[in-house]
């Protein structure tokens, strides 16, 4: 059987991220990012093995960026694509897994757009442009929310009037599902359990951060909610605040909703706590070592809130087979892992300092001390997960009988 190829696309309002993945290889054959789309400074940087180049996208159009992928794919793939996998942020309650894109699926993505107004419309644009460039192959949508559709109502419902849920979809959805699914599956392999089995607390810590309780491949609860603002402290997002904050700021400072929204999403989190120093954990860890008070506070609050979230999610699980750290911070910051686990001593969790120190290459590994439940560092690979889900969907479709017309 040929080694199938999937083009993974993540389209934002001014960006287009892509990766060409083969079924058998751990690394992408080709990957890149087109940025500043919508301006005359559009540019696409890409790499394939040791080759790194860039192409100007002077008209700034998503369609031009998408079209410029064709010759690159021909150059590095040497065989036709099997499918295009599109990352879509919000699937509402419509999707529990990967879905072959047709008119019905497009309508459902559009239907969920009010829940992700910054993301879903851009991703619909990406799907439409890609379908015009990559014709005659399946296009598949993979939703950040789908993995969490297994949450029970007691985890996903807010204590709000029922009509807000049933008529307006106000509930907790959760995000980063692709990453939580990937690392929990890898954890079962690393620990020698049956693939996909185990009771895990996962912490995806990148610019956006979320935790998840996963039991035997199913999300039972997660820290993000109706939008990716709920939960942990993030790079520029506040995470949980008192819901009365909005009315308090409106009454006392005269702020309108847009200003409050902007503050909570773009000026808060690590950036806000560090007195505007940085949203980047690397910078904060370095500044903390130099005695910067704001940076120290930001790191402390980040780790404490993360530990509190993991402890809270533990109630969703019958036991803890392991705690998993992933994402740029989770994979690369021994300090964040150490400070977080210190708050979790109640669970018998403890870190081995030598194992916690980051080795070159950062492979998946165990870092717990002595009798502690497993603590794992597992590099996430959302594109690999998307590739696998696309191919699994195609395999499933191939085994299903074709419906006969009556
Ligand atoms: P995204 O969510 O955009 O994919 P990443 O998963 O790449 O982001 O994570 C970005 C975060 O990871 C940044 O806060 C960055 O500072 C942090 N990070 C990367 N390397 C390190 C490191 N060595 N130590 C601490 N933080 C790190």
């Amino acid at each position: 059987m040929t080694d199938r190829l999937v083009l993974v696309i993540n389209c934002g309002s001014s960006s287009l991220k892509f990766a060409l993945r083969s079924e058998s290889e751990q690394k992408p054959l080709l990957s890149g990012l087109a940025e500043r789309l919508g301006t005359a400074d559009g540019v696409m940087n890409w790499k394939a093995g040791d080759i790194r180049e860039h192409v100007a996208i002077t008209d700034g159009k998503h369609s031009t960026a998408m079209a410029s992928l064709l010759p690159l794919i021909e150059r590095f793939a040497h065989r036709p694509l099997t499918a295009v996998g599109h990352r879509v942020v919000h699937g509402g309650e419509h999707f529990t897994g990967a879905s072959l894109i047709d008119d019905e699926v497009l309508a459902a993505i559009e239907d969920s757009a009010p829940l992700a107004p910054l993301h879903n419309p851009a991703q619909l644009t990406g799907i439409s442009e890609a379908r015009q460039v990559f014709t005659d192959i399946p296009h598949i949508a993979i939703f950040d929310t789908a993995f969490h559709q297994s949450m029970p109502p007691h985890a996903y419902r807010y204590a709000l009037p029922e009509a807000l849920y049933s008529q307006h979809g106000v509930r907790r959805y959760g995000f980063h599902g692709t990453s939580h699914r990937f690392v929990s599956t890898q954890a079962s392999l690393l620990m020698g359990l049956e693939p996909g089995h185990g009771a895990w607390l996962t912490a995806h810590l990148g610019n956006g951060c979320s935790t998840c309780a996963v039991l035997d491949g199913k999300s039972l609860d997660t820290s993000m909610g109706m939008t990716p603002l709920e939960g942990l402290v993030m790079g520029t997002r506040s995470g949980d605040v008192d819901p009365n904050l909005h009315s308090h700021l409106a009454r006392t400072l005269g702020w309108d909703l847009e200003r409050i929204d902007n503050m909570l999403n773009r000026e808060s989190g690590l950036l806000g706590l560090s007195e505007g120093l940085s949203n980047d954990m690397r910078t904060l860890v370095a500044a903390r070592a130099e005695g910067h008070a704001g940076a120290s506070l930001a790191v402390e609050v980040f780790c404490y809130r993360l530990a509190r979230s993991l402890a809270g999610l533990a109630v969703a699980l019958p036991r803890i087979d392991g705690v998993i750290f992933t994402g740029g911070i989770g994979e690369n910051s021994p300090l964040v892992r150490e400070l977080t686990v210190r708050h979790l001593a109640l669970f018998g969790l403890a870190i081995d300092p030598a194992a916690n120190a980051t080795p070159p290459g950062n492979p998946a590994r165990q870092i717990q001390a002595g009798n502690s439940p497993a603590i794992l560092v597992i590099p996430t690979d959302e594109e690999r997960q998307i590739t696998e889900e696309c191919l699994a969907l195609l395999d499933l479709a191939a085994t299903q009988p074709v419906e006969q017309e009556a």
Side-chain angles (χ1 to χ4, degrees):
M1 198 164 152
T2 52
D3 188 14
R4 295 176 292 179
L5 287 175
V6 176
L7 175 66
V8 179
I9 285 181
N10 183 0
C11 192
S13 56
S14 62
S15 67
L16 172 69
K17 195 173 173 200
F18 61 91
L20 179 65
R21 302 293 298 237
S22 87
E23 196 166 12
S24 68
E25 287 179 65
Q26 295 294 324
K27 297 253 181 265
L29 301 177
L30 166 75
S31 63
L33 175 68
E35 292 176 284
R36 300 196 293 270
L37 299 177
T39 76
D41 297 328
V43 64
M44 188 166 89
N45 288 289
W46 58 265
K47 64 175 180 176
D50 294 335
I51 308 173
R52 284 166 194 266
E53 284 181 25
H54 66 270
V55 190
I57 313 285
T58 46
D59 65 4
K61 288 188 179 164
H62 279 84
S63 55
T64 308
M66 196 70 77
S68 54
L69 292 181
L70 252 187
L72 286 178
I73 290 170
E74 275 167 14
R75 182 168 155 199
F76 293 105
H78 311 298
R79 59 191 186 278
L81 281 180
T82 306
V84 182
H86 296 267
R87 181 180 171 202
V88 181
V89 164
H90 221 304
E93 289 186 328
H94 301 283
F95 301 102
T96 55
S99 300
L100 207 53
I101 295 175
D102 57 16
D103 290 346
E104 217 172 299
V105 168
L106 288 175
I109 297 174
E110 205 152 353
D111 194 41
S112 304
L115 294 166
L118 297 179
H119 295 102
N120 277 27
Q123 286 154 357
L124 280 168
T125 305
I127 292 171
S128 148
E129 302 293 358
R131 286 172 106 198
Q132 288 178 41
V133 174
F134 303 100
T135 50
D136 303 324
I137 53 168
H139 287 246
I140 295 167
I142 312 286
F143 299 88
D144 277 16
T145 49
F147 182 54
H148 303 297
Q149 280 296 302
S150 47
M151 286 196 288
H154 64 247
Y156 74 68
R157 285 293 295 274
Y158 291 116
L160 294 171
E162 196 276 339
L164 286 176
Y165 167 62
S166 55
Q167 293 170 31
H168 303 284
V170 176
R171 53 158 282 181
R172 306 181 66 250
Y173 291 96
F175 299 85
H176 293 144
T178 307
S179 179
H180 291 298
R181 192 197 296 260
F182 180 80
V183 296
S184 54
T185 308
Q186 295 297 311
S188 59
L189 298 176
L190 189 65
M191 299 303 290
L193 303 179
E194 240 182 274
H197 278 235
W200 311 106
L201 291 172
T202 57
H204 175 100
L205 311 173
N207 283 307
C209 302
S210 68
T211 48
C212 186
V214 185
L215 181 64
D216 296 340
K218 288 193 163 46
S219 166
L220 295 185
D221 199 356
T222 188
S223 61
M224 283 179 167
M226 188 177 83
T227 75
L229 183 59
E230 187 176 330
L232 305 177
V233 173
M234 311 183 209
T236 62
R237 285 176 242 163
S238 62
D240 292 341
V241 291
D242 187 329
N244 266 334
L245 182 65
H246 284 74
S247 52
H248 174 76
L249 295 176
R251 264 198 319 272
T252 56
L253 302 177
W255 288 15
D256 62 14
L257 280 181
E258 201 182 328
R259 174 132 193 225
I260 298 169
D261 238 34
N262 198 47
M263 179 273 291
L264 291 173
N265 282 286
R266 298 195 178 82
E267 299 168 4
S268 299
L270 295 172
L271 180 67
L273 280 166
S274 67
E275 302 156 24
L277 178 68
S278 180
N279 62 330
D280 192 294
M281 187 57 89
R282 255 170 313 201
T283 308
L284 297 176
V285 169
R288 175 183 181 271
E290 303 282 313
H292 189 289
S296 291
L297 182 70
V299 174
E300 300 288 341
V301 176
F302 182 91
C303 296
Y304 175 72
R305 289 268 298 271
L306 169 59
R308 198 175 69 165
S309 173
L310 290 168
L313 287 183
V315 302
L317 298 174
R319 61 182 190 281
I320 299 175
D321 289 330
V323 176
I324 305 168
F325 287 92
T326 193
I329 299 172
E331 292 163 31
N332 297 303
S333 178
L335 178 72
V336 166
R337 295 191 295 256
E338 185 199 323
L339 295 180
T340 303
V341 172
R342 261 194 222 166
H343 292 299
L344 294 167
L346 184 67
F347 293 84
L349 287 157
I351 269 184
D352 176 308
N356 188 32
T358 307
N362 202 17
R365 67 198 191 279
Q366 302 183 42
I367 60 166
Q368 73 278 5
N371 295 328
S372 162
I375 304 174
L376 309 173
V377 180
I378 300 186
T380 195
D381 190 342
E382 290 165 281
E383 288 152 2
R384 169 145 214 91
Q385 180 68 31
I386 290 175
T387 302
E388 284 174 10
E389 288 184 39
C390 285
L391 295 174
L393 183 73
L394 295 179
D395 290 342
L396 187 71
T399 60
Q400 280 173 349
V402 180
E403 278 181 36
Q404 299 288 323
E405 278 191 54

